[in-house]
Amino acid sequence: MTALRLSIEAPVDVDALVVFAVLSDGRMDLLVPPKTLGRAAVRLIAQAASDLAPTGADTGPIRIPSSQRGPGRVTILTTIAAQPSSEDLRDAVGGTLRDTRGLARIAVLAPDSDPATVACVAEGALLGAYRFDAYRGDSSDPDGPAPVEIILVVPTADDSPVKEAVAEATTVAAAVNLGRDLVNTPANDLNPAALALQADKLFKHTDVDVEILDQHDLRRGKFGGILAVGQGSHDGPRLIQLQHRHPKARLHTALVGKGITFDSGGLSLKPAKPMETMKHDMAGAACVLATMSAISKLGLPINVTGWLAAAENMPGGSAQRPGDVIKIRGGKTVEVLNTDAEGRLVLADALARACEDSPNSIIDVATLTGAAMIALGMRTAAVMSNDDGLRSRVVAAADAAGEDMWAMPMPEHLRAGLKSSVADLTNTGDRNGGMLAAGIFLREFIPRGTAWAHLDIAGPAFNPESRYGYTPRGGTGFGVRSLVELLRRQSLQD
């Protein structure tokens, strides 16, 4: 990951200098805090900015030609609104740091000294600087290598509130980028066992305890959903438990992530084109793992248990069949009508097990339904819940973190579509309202009195199209910032 450090003044030996500017009526006003940049450099950049200010709708980053530059080989102006939101700041600087070919050391002038503003700039810069180049040659990445170092320039760089805010933002950005790495890793290198090994290595010298259940443990524990989904693959399933405890915490939250490391659809085989990106069907598990990493590093005084339900859904000779009846942990039976509706089966097992510990609240995260993308598009996640207060807190945390989540209902009449003639319920309901029916299915495994929320991140978890803002192509790390913010708020109230 690109390194980030604070500085009171802009170094002169950087490759690029990034300056925020407000564009209004063809006029560009630089946002340069006092003493961070010399007066001569400010005048030079301001003159170039007035000459280059766009008159149309295009307000993307503007590179000042070398003959008109300030410190560094190039100066980049990134435009924001006069009163930008936190997400505006992240997006603007992230979009600028996305396009940095040939620029190894980049100085970014924070637009003001407020710790919250500086933290947003730090987070956006690190998210925009992300590259996934583990499988590329030295010169094959069209974006070029990631910057080696970002120097965040703010006159209050030595103040404790600024240092603390930037340290937290750096930790969260690192967690998001970890989630992106996991999602982007191809399925031949990240099967359920490899995901378990990653978790074990990541938390080996931390305060997070790891327990891994393999297929033998799963059989003994009667985890029928995870076993059924994974039985068509020669790579056996895993259930990974991550425990973070704090002596001062009273409340306990459980996080459950869907971890289908590759989804072929099973015998209900997917078409070829949609299958190309099905390595990302474990984005929910990646989100939970990355969130646990962040709260451990932040030292949040909170009790959290993470569950990663990992399996590979393949159409092998031993794969489950449409019409099979499986028994979920706890005893409920499910008639499998479509083997491509497998995520809810592994989540059912994990939710049932998580509820046995009597958490105060439980949140599952999953790339669960194509219906979510049809309903909400590719940038918005759905939030369903049996508790209005929890649903509101999740949406509020997402809004504060800069992630788009939308509260959705769970109409009771859709429960009838899950009735089976041979089992307690089926794994698919009415095609109309399929996203909502999936949430209702999961609710069946939550005991009365347990507050639960379901996050369907099928759209925003993976970006198959062009980059935008700080969002790269491929895995986005969606959900990590929202969950960290939710748990941070909870720790303050515990």
Side-chain angles (χ1 to χ4, degrees):
M1 179 171 163
T2 301
L4 184 143
R5 67 178 175 88
L6 288 164
S7 176
I8 293 175
E9 297 179 337
V12 297
D13 59 345
V14 292
D15 296 310
L17 175 70
V18 175
V19 179
F20 284 89
V22 174
L23 179 65
S24 178
D25 298 327
R27 173 189 171 92
M28 192 174 292
D29 296 318
L30 303 183
L31 300 179
V32 179
K35 301 181 181 180
T36 57
L37 199 61
R39 292 181 180 178
V42 173
R43 285 197 299 270
L44 188 64
I45 296 170
Q47 180 57 51
S50 66
D51 294 340
L52 297 170
T55 56
D58 183 9
T59 57
I62 301 168
R63 293 198 176 205
I64 296 178
S66 58
S67 61
Q68 297 175 302
R69 65 181 179 267
R73 292 192 291 110
V74 63
T75 298
I76 307 173
L77 302 179
T78 182
T79 55
I80 55 175
Q83 294 182 321
S85 67
S86 297
E87 187 64 0
D88 289 337
L89 289 170
R90 295 188 196 98
D91 220 38
V93 70
T96 299
L97 268 291
R98 241 186 30 227
D99 184 16
T100 55
R101 174 175 283 279
L103 304 176
R105 297 182 69 243
I106 302 172
V108 178
L109 298 189
D112 63 56
S113 299
D114 178 67
T117 298
V118 179
C120 286
V121 173
E123 189 175 277
L126 290 170
L127 294 177
Y130 172 82
R131 306 286 190 277
F132 184 71
D133 53 11
Y135 295 85
R136 291 187 180 275
D138 292 339
S139 60
S140 66
D141 190 338
D143 299 327
V148 174
E149 184 182 37
I150 297 169
I151 301 97
L152 185 51
V153 183
V154 56
T156 54
D158 289 336
D159 292 357
S160 293
V162 169
K163 287 182 177 179
E164 291 169 5
V166 169
E168 180 172 332
T170 301
T171 296
V172 173
V176 173
N177 288 338
L178 168 64
R180 290 170 170 181
D181 282 346
L182 290 169
V183 172
N184 287 329
T185 302
N188 59 319
D189 282 344
L190 192 70
N191 58 27
L195 179 61
L197 182 61
Q198 287 262 32
D200 196 42
K201 287 183 176 179
L202 180 66
F203 296 111
K204 186 169 290 294
H205 301 294
T206 71
D207 59 358
V208 175
D209 295 326
V210 180
E211 182 180 0
I212 299 167
L213 304 184
D214 63 16
Q215 55 263 52
H216 305 294
D217 302 315
L218 294 170
R219 289 191 192 98
R220 285 194 293 269
K222 299 181 179 179
F223 292 91
I226 298 174
L227 287 166
V229 173
Q231 70 189 37
S233 171
H234 60 77
D235 295 316
R238 299 289 188 274
L239 179 61
I240 305 157
Q241 182 188 32
L242 310 171
Q243 290 192 70
H244 176 272
R245 296 290 181 267
H246 193 281
K248 295 184 179 180
R250 294 179 298 105
L251 301 179
H252 175 206
T253 299
L255 306 177
V256 176
K258 172 187 170 184
I260 304 299
T261 57
F262 186 79
D263 184 16
S264 70
L267 291 180
S268 304
L269 198 65
K270 292 180 181 290
K273 192 65 178 176
M275 211 186 298
E276 292 177 3
T277 58
M278 279 300 106
K279 66 180 183 181
H280 89 277
D281 211 19
M282 40 63 69
C287 173
V288 170
L289 187 150
T291 299
M292 295 296 294
S293 174
I295 64 173
S296 173
K297 291 178 180 178
L298 293 172
L300 293 186
I302 189 171
N303 294 331
V304 186
T305 303
W307 298 91
L308 317 181
E312 191 174 59
N313 188 25
M314 298 293 283
S318 59
Q320 64 174 337
R321 297 151 290 260
D324 283 0
V325 175
I326 61 176
K327 184 178 287 187
I328 302 297
R329 183 178 172 93
K332 284 192 177 182
T333 57
V334 178
E335 181 184 11
V336 179
L337 298 183
N338 187 328
T339 64
D340 195 24
E342 85 299 327
R344 64 200 70 184
L345 300 178
V346 301
L347 287 175
D349 265 341
L351 287 170
R353 172 61 188 89
C355 288
E356 292 171 11
D357 295 335
S358 301
N360 300 96
S361 60
I362 183 166
I363 301 168
D364 74 76
V365 191
T367 50
L368 202 62
T369 66
M373 293 184 281
I374 294 171
L376 297 174
M378 296 298 292
R379 301 189 186 184
T380 304
V383 183
M384 286 163 266
S385 181
N386 63 358
D387 183 279
D388 291 344
L390 178 59
R391 180 174 53 236
S392 296
R393 291 194 297 275
V394 170
V395 173
D399 185 59
E403 295 186 319
D404 195 9
M405 296 191 188
W406 197 257
M408 302 298 291
M410 290 192 294
E412 289 300 327
H413 69 270
L414 291 178
R415 174 60 179 82
L418 297 173
K419 289 182 178 179
S420 167
S421 60
V422 297
D424 293 327
L425 66 165
T426 65
N427 76 325
T428 58
D430 194 328
R431 184 173 182 273
N432 298 318
M435 171 182 64
L436 309 180
I440 291 170
F441 175 93
L442 295 177
R443 189 183 61 184
E444 292 289 311
F445 302 92
I446 306 297
R448 288 186 179 275
T450 299
W452 157 79
H454 162 57
L455 279 55
D456 193 332
I457 62 171
F462 193 83
N463 175 30
E465 305 297 338
S466 299
R467 307 165 302 163
Y468 57 91
Y470 55 74
T471 302
R473 290 193 66 181
T476 65
F478 186 91
V480 174
R481 290 185 291 147
S482 296
L483 290 181
V484 172
E485 176 64 17
L486 178 72
L487 295 169
R488 186 190 66 80
R489 292 181 176 197
Q490 182 174 311
S491 71
L492 297 174
Q493 300 171 353
D494 193 352

